[in-house]
């Protein structure tokens, strides 16, 4: 496997010290049929979203972070409790990249209790924290990351995943990253009503509006990214 190159989005603005350049970079780490994405803000703020399968943290994510010259993370976001998204995070944390500010996950309801979850809890320790819908993380130079879905709740309403198929996917954390005229959306395995799932993603997409880049939800599954999602996000680029 080879790691995918970053997408770079730059802008300049005039400040009291003259011209200053800011850059937002998105890194889609190749962890196969799993997910791990790194966001680096214009001020260097780092957010790792998911960590791939067990083994991917040591084999791919930590080497990628180290290869970028990083020595730590500011935040992590675990989208939901499926091991192809969180299975490598304990290895990332134990490998010297425990977030210094906060490690977000969707909360304490219906948490798993298996070996992988135990390893995650042990590695994350007191850095574990929970987001609220509408919460914004500053990334520098006006760039932001906003939580737009958590446990089926969005700024425009909710659809209870427990009443539908694939409830854990429906509980996924979804976020939108904004920087000037650029917007990026990523939603883990969030569902939009396909195959009897909760339609959470349509609500999130209507709130977000048009974006430039999307990381396809649920790896492109028919349970996600329905017609309402596609028409509202209308991305120029989709990352699978």
């Amino acid at each position: 496997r080879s790691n995918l190159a970053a997408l770079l989005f730059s802008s300049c603005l005039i400040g009291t010290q003259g011209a200053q350049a800011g850059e937002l970079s998105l890194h889609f780490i190749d962890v196969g049929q799993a997910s791990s994405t790194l966001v680096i803000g214009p001020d260097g703020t780092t957010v790792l979203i998911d960590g791939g399968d067990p083994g991917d943290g040591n084999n791919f994510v930590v080497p990628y972070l180290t290869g970028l010259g990083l020595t730590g993370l500011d935040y992590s976001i675990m989208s939901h409790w499926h091991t192809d998204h969180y299975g490598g995070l304990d290895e990332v944390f134990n490998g010297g990249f425990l977030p210094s500010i906060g490690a977000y996950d969707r909360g304490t309801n219906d948490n798993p209790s298996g070996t992988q979850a135990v390893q995650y809890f042990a590695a994350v320790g007191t850095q574990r924290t929970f987001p609220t819908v509408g919460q914004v993380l500053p990334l520098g130079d006006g760039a932001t990351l906003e939580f737009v879905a958590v446990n089926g709740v969005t700024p425009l309403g909710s659809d209870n995943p427990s009443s539908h198929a694939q409830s854990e996917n429906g509980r996924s954390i979804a976020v939108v990253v904004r920087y000037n005229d650029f917007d990026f959306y990523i939603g883990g395995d969030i569902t939009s009503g396909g195959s009897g799932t909760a339609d959470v993603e349509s609500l999130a997409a209507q709130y977000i509006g048009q974006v430039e880049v999307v990381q396809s939800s649920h790896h492109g599954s028919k349970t996600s990214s329905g017609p309402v999602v596609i028409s509202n996000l209308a991305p120029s680029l989709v990352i699978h």
Side-chain angles (χ1 to χ4, degrees):
R1 303 177 190 176
S2 62
N3 289 320
L4 300 178
L7 297 175
L8 303 177
F9 305 93
S10 302
S11 71
C12 292
L13 54 99
I14 302 300
T16 57
Q17 302 300 317
Q20 298 178 346
E23 187 174 79
L24 169 72
S25 62
L26 308 177
H27 302 251
F28 302 94
I29 304 172
D30 186 352
V31 287
Q33 188 61 32
S35 185
S36 186
T37 302
L38 175 69
V39 178
I40 304 180
D43 68 355
T45 297
T46 50
V47 186
L48 180 68
I49 304 171
D50 291 334
D53 271 313
D56 288 343
N58 287 331
N59 292 329
F60 302 108
V61 182
V62 169
Y64 189 89
L65 300 178
T66 302
L68 291 177
L70 298 179
T71 57
L73 292 171
D74 295 301
Y75 301 97
S76 68
I77 298 171
M78 185 249 280
S79 64
H80 66 297
W81 293 101
H82 282 160
T83 55
D84 58 332
H85 289 258
Y86 86 94
L89 283 176
D90 63 306
E91 299 163 9
V92 173
F93 298 163
N94 291 332
F97 290 93
L98 180 65
S100 61
I101 301 177
Y104 288 95
D105 65 62
R106 64 169 187 76
T108 59
N109 59 313
D110 297 319
N111 286 180
S113 57
T115 299
Q116 197 60 51
V118 170
Q119 292 175 181
Y120 176 83
F121 293 137
V124 72
T126 59
Q127 293 305 97
R128 187 184 185 201
T129 190
F130 317 124
T132 57
V133 172
Q135 181 179 347
V136 173
L137 305 182
L139 304 178
D141 194 23
T144 60
L145 180 151
E146 181 181 359
F147 293 92
V148 296
V150 183
N151 287 312
V153 180
T154 80
L156 296 185
S158 62
D159 191 358
N160 183 3
S162 298
S163 303
H164 300 273
Q166 299 187 24
S167 59
E168 182 58 33
N169 288 338
R171 295 188 181 102
S172 289
I173 292 174
V175 304
V176 60
V177 175
R178 301 190 189 277
Y179 186 36
N180 294 332
D181 294 332
F182 173 80
D183 305 285
F184 165 61
Y185 164 74
I186 177 171
D189 286 355
I190 194 171
T191 57
S192 64
S195 300
T197 59
D199 191 359
V200 182
E201 193 174 27
S202 292
L203 294 168
Q206 290 174 78
Y207 170 76
I208 295 167
Q210 195 272 328
V211 302
E212 281 63 50
V213 178
V214 165
Q215 183 163 329
S216 58
S217 300
H218 201 183
H219 321 279
S221 169
K222 65 180 180 181
T223 62
S224 302
S225 303
V228 174
V229 175
I230 294 171
S231 63
N232 278 272
L233 296 181
S236 299
L237 177 65
V238 177
I239 305 295
H240 288 287

